[in-house]
């Protein structure tokens, strides 16, 4: 007898299809075990528990696949969750890439492989710790308790992509554990495509200082100090994000236009792919997300990462006056604010007016300034400036913006000791000891300490320190006040790789009278 030829076989439940049934389409609600001889063009099933090795399927769609066996030959393999992969399956799983899990032997290292949404700035926080004690005289005793600031990054996720919704599951698996976190502010882009197995990546404007090794885990052994060699724990690792997925790679050398790899590239990367350096970090704070539509979320993810390398102090060129540096004025694009504050003790024991006492005899006003760093050199200068200030520890001079700008009416020599100026309400604003910036018409500047101001055929501003050059007519005089930062945590808002916005609040401190101290704590870290 001849074999039966069936053009179409539709069943509600098919537990074991017959090997000789040549069906053009085979659809079933439950297919528990596919036979070797079932040559089906398409299998659409809800659950496939264990497909057999010889099942040749052009398109296999499954909601859950617990354990795929090695010789599966399928052009497209789509799964929702794939927790385990075998070495011989050669399957690139989208769910596995989104979760950040890696096959053995790298399964212990989690990677936060989600893009930052540049619609919101990337916030980098440097957090020092300072103890400030106000003395009876009104001065301050400041003590540093942390030499190296803690470093935080706050990522913004939610680019209207399906993979961003997996960040909640990724945090649930890696919250409180060490993982590798990318640095989007130091990202570079590939200038040409790299094939699979390539040993170099052609990139644009890579800085070797940003692609440094991870923190080393040094230990003393009988053979010497170990752990400083670049390897799995402290090598130079990068994250490569392309349109079709992501991968990690270890660098052997960094050049301005090329990144050399220690091992061949696992998958091809197209032109324009993003390459970001990786650092150790951990997410300890809970993150909240807004669910826009099913499968798409948005929110902020804070993570504490390893400290940044020490900045180069040689990039600073701030002038010094009375042994403290002079800071530039902030950007007046957004209105700066000034707060008039004082330490008040209030005891409301009386049935009528309360008893009020002021505890500090000096002004403790605050000045909020916003600074913009628009180049890599300006960003490095601000890092060195903040590192030298150490949060609330060190003092600096700052233009207060309250006193009117004075104009020099008569040329002054370095031996005069005073400046003849003109301006409104000169004596009202310049009667206290302070400092000033003398801006010459040619753009040069010099600084001096000021005393009082009185009228003698015009305004006369008395100087407490000498000046180095002649002051020509028409020079501007800007008042400076002695300040310190009012907070230990400084936020750097990265709008792009070359634009950083810094918002600072400075508090005015009194003139030193011999009993103010700035020290480091015995157990400062």
């Amino acid at each position: 007898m001849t074999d039966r030829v069936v053009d179409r076989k539709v069943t509600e439940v098919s537990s074991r299809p017959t090997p000789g049934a040549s069906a053009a389409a085979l659809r079933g609600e439950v297919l528990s075990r596919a036979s070797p001889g079932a040559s089906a063009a398409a299998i659409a099933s809800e659950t496939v528990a264990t497909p057999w090795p010889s099942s040749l399927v052009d398109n296999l769609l499954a909601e859950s696949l617990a354990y795929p066996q090695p010789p599966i030959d399928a052009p497209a393999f789509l799964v929702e969750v794939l927790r385990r992969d075998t070495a011989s399956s050669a399957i690139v799983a989208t769910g596995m890439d989104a979760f950040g899990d890696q096959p053995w032997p790298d399964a212990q290292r989690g990677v936060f492989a989600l893009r930052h949404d540049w619609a919101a700035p990337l916030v980098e926080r440097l957090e020092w710790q300072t103890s400030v004690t106000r003395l009876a005289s009104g001065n301050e005793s400041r003590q540093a308790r942390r030499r190296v600031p803690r470093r935080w990054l706050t990522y913004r996720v939610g680019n209207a992509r399906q993979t961003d919704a997996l960040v909640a599951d990724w945090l649930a698996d890696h919250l409180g554990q060490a993982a590798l976190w990318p640095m989007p502010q130091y990202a570079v882009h590939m200038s040409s495509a790299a094939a699979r197995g390539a040993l170099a990546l052609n990139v644009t404007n890579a800085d070797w200082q940003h692609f440094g090794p991870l923190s080393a885990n040094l230990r003393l052994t009988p053979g010497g100090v170990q752990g400083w060699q670049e390897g799995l724990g402290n090598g130079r690792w990068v994250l490569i994000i392309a349109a079709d997925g992501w991968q990690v790679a270890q660098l052997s050398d960094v050049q301005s236009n090329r990144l050399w790899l220690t091992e061949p590239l696992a998958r091809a990367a197209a032109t324009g792919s993003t390459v970001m350096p990786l650092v150790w970090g951990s997410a300890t704070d809970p993150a909240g997300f807004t669910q826009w539509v099913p499968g798409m979320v948005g929110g902020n993810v804070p993570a504490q990462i390893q400290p940044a390398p020490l900045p180069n102090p040689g990039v600073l060129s701030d002038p010094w006056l009375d042994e403290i540096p002079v800071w530039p004025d902030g950007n007046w694009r957004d209105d700066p604010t000034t707060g008039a504050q004082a330490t008040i003790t209030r005891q409301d024991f009386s049935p009528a007016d309360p008893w009020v006492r002021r505890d500090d005899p000096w002004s403790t006003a605050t000045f909020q300034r916003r600074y913009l760093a628009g180049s890599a050199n300006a960003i490095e200068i601000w890092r060195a400036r903040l590192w030298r200030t150490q949060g609330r520890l060190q003092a600096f001079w700052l233009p207060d913006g309250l006193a009117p700008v004075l104009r020099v009416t008569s040329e002054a020599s370095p031996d005069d000791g005073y400046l003849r100026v003109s301006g409104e309400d000169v004596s009202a604003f310049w009667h206290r000891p302070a400092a000033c910036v003398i801006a010459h018409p040619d753009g040069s500047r010099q600084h001096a300490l000021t005393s009082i101001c009185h009228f003698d055929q015009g305004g006369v501003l008395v100087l407490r320190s000498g000046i180095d050059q002649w002051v020509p007519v028409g020079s501007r005089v800007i008042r400076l006040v002695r300040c310190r930062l009012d907070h230990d945590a400084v936020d750097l808002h990265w709008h792009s790789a070359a634009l950083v916005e810094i918002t600072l609040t400075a508090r005015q401190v009194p003139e030193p009278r011999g009993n103010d101290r700035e020290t480091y704590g015995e157990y400062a870290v």
Side-chain angles (χ1 to χ4, degrees), residues 503-519:
T503 302
L504 301 175
T505 301
R507 177 176 293 273
Q508 185 177 356
V509 296
E511 291 289 327
R513 294 191 291 178
N515 58 349
D516 61 328
R517 297 179 300 169
E518 298 173 0
T519 60

Side-chain angles (χ1 to χ4, degrees), residues 188-498:
V188 295
H189 300 279
M190 295 181 57
S191 58
S192 61
R196 179 180 179 181
L199 291 175
L201 303 177
N202 296 326
V203 296
T204 58
N205 299 327
D207 191 352
W208 64 271
Q209 297 180 356
H210 300 156
F211 291 85
L214 303 177
S215 58
N217 185 16
L218 300 179
R219 58 190 182 276
L220 183 61
T221 63
V225 178
Q226 301 294 331
W228 57 269
Q229 301 89 351
E230 292 190 10
L232 178 63
N234 62 336
R236 288 178 287 186
W237 291 88
V238 294
L239 173 65
I240 306 172
I241 298 182
D244 56 349
W246 64 271
Q247 56 183 319
V248 294
Q250 186 177 3
L251 303 181
S252 61
D253 190 16
V254 178
Q255 298 178 359
S256 60
N257 58 351
R258 184 168 298 175
L259 302 178
W260 294 92
L261 308 179
T262 58
E263 296 181 358
L265 195 63
R267 297 197 303 269
T271 304
S273 300
T274 305
V275 182
M276 293 179 288
L278 293 173
V279 295
W280 284 115
S282 62
T284 57
D285 297 338
F289 303 99
T290 302
Q291 294 182 332
W292 299 326
V293 295
M296 295 184 183
V297 301
N300 297 325
V301 180
Q304 181 179 352
I305 61 176
Q306 67 185 35
L310 294 176
N312 182 15
V315 299
L316 286 178
S317 59
D318 294 339
W320 286 69
L321 179 62
D322 197 18
E323 298 182 353
I324 61 175
V326 179
W327 277 22
D329 200 1
N331 187 280
W332 284 64
R333 179 197 63 182
D334 299 328
D335 296 336
T337 60
T338 299
Q341 302 178 8
T343 304
I344 303 295
T345 299
R346 183 186 185 98
Q347 295 183 359
D348 198 0
F349 293 150
S350 172
D353 295 334
W355 179 75
V356 178
R357 183 188 68 186
R358 178 168 178 170
D359 292 337
D360 55 340
W362 302 96
S363 173
T364 56
T366 57
F367 308 96
Q368 184 177 359
R369 295 292 185 266
R370 189 183 305 270
Y371 297 92
L372 294 177
S375 63
N377 187 30
I379 296 173
E380 187 65 20
I381 289 175
W382 267 108
R383 280 191 175 275
R385 186 176 290 149
L386 294 174
W387 197 281
R388 185 176 61 186
T389 306
Q390 299 268 316
R392 296 183 296 171
L393 181 65
Q394 302 292 344
F396 53 88
W397 294 105
L398 183 70
D400 61 352
L402 297 178
V405 179
L406 306 181
R407 296 281 181 175
V408 177
T409 59
S410 177
E411 188 178 24
S413 68
D415 299 331
D416 289 343
Y418 63 89
L419 299 175
R420 291 193 173 272
V421 295
S422 65
E424 298 180 359
D425 299 330
V426 176
S427 61
F429 287 96
W430 294 83
H431 66 283
R432 295 177 179 175
C436 68
V437 177
I438 306 174
H440 296 181
D442 59 356
S444 60
R445 295 191 173 192
Q446 55 180 329
H447 305 80
L449 298 175
T450 62
S451 180
I452 61 174
C453 185
H454 61 87
F455 286 94
D456 182 11
Q457 297 179 357
V460 177
L461 181 62
V462 181
L463 303 179
R464 291 186 295 158
S465 63
I467 54 179
D468 300 331
Q469 304 175 8
W470 283 77
V471 179
V473 178
S475 300
R476 295 178 297 124
V477 182
I478 305 171
R479 189 175 73 171
L480 301 175
V481 291
R482 190 187 302 263
C483 299
R484 63 163 174 84
L485 289 182
D486 198 32
H487 45 81
D488 285 327
V490 179
D491 291 338
L492 308 179
H493 297 265
W494 291 81
H495 294 277
S496 65

Side-chain angles (χ1 to χ4, degrees), residues 130-185:
T130 310
S131 174
V132 179
T133 303
R134 181 168 291 276
L135 306 178
S137 62
N139 290 341
E140 292 180 344
S141 176
R142 299 187 292 271
Q143 187 178 26
R145 295 184 175 180
R146 185 180 298 157
R147 292 180 181 271
V148 179
R150 292 179 181 174
R151 193 182 185 191
W152 296 79
L153 275 184
T154 302
Y155 302 86
R156 175 70 181 181
V157 295
N159 300 278
R161 297 181 306 166
Q162 295 287 348
T163 55
D164 288 340
L166 296 174
V167 64
D169 289 340
W170 190 92
L171 288 177
D173 293 339
H174 298 85
L175 201 65
Q177 298 179 358
L180 292 177
W181 295 78
M183 306 288 288
Q185 67 271 34

Side-chain angles (χ1 to χ4, degrees), residues 27-60:
R27 293 184 175 87
E29 289 187 1
V30 178
L31 182 62
S32 60
R33 187 172 184 178
S35 298
S39 300
I43 294 181
S45 60
E46 291 185 0
T47 303
V48 177
T50 307
W52 278 27
S54 59
S55 58
L56 302 178
V57 184
D58 294 336
N59 192 1
L60 180 60

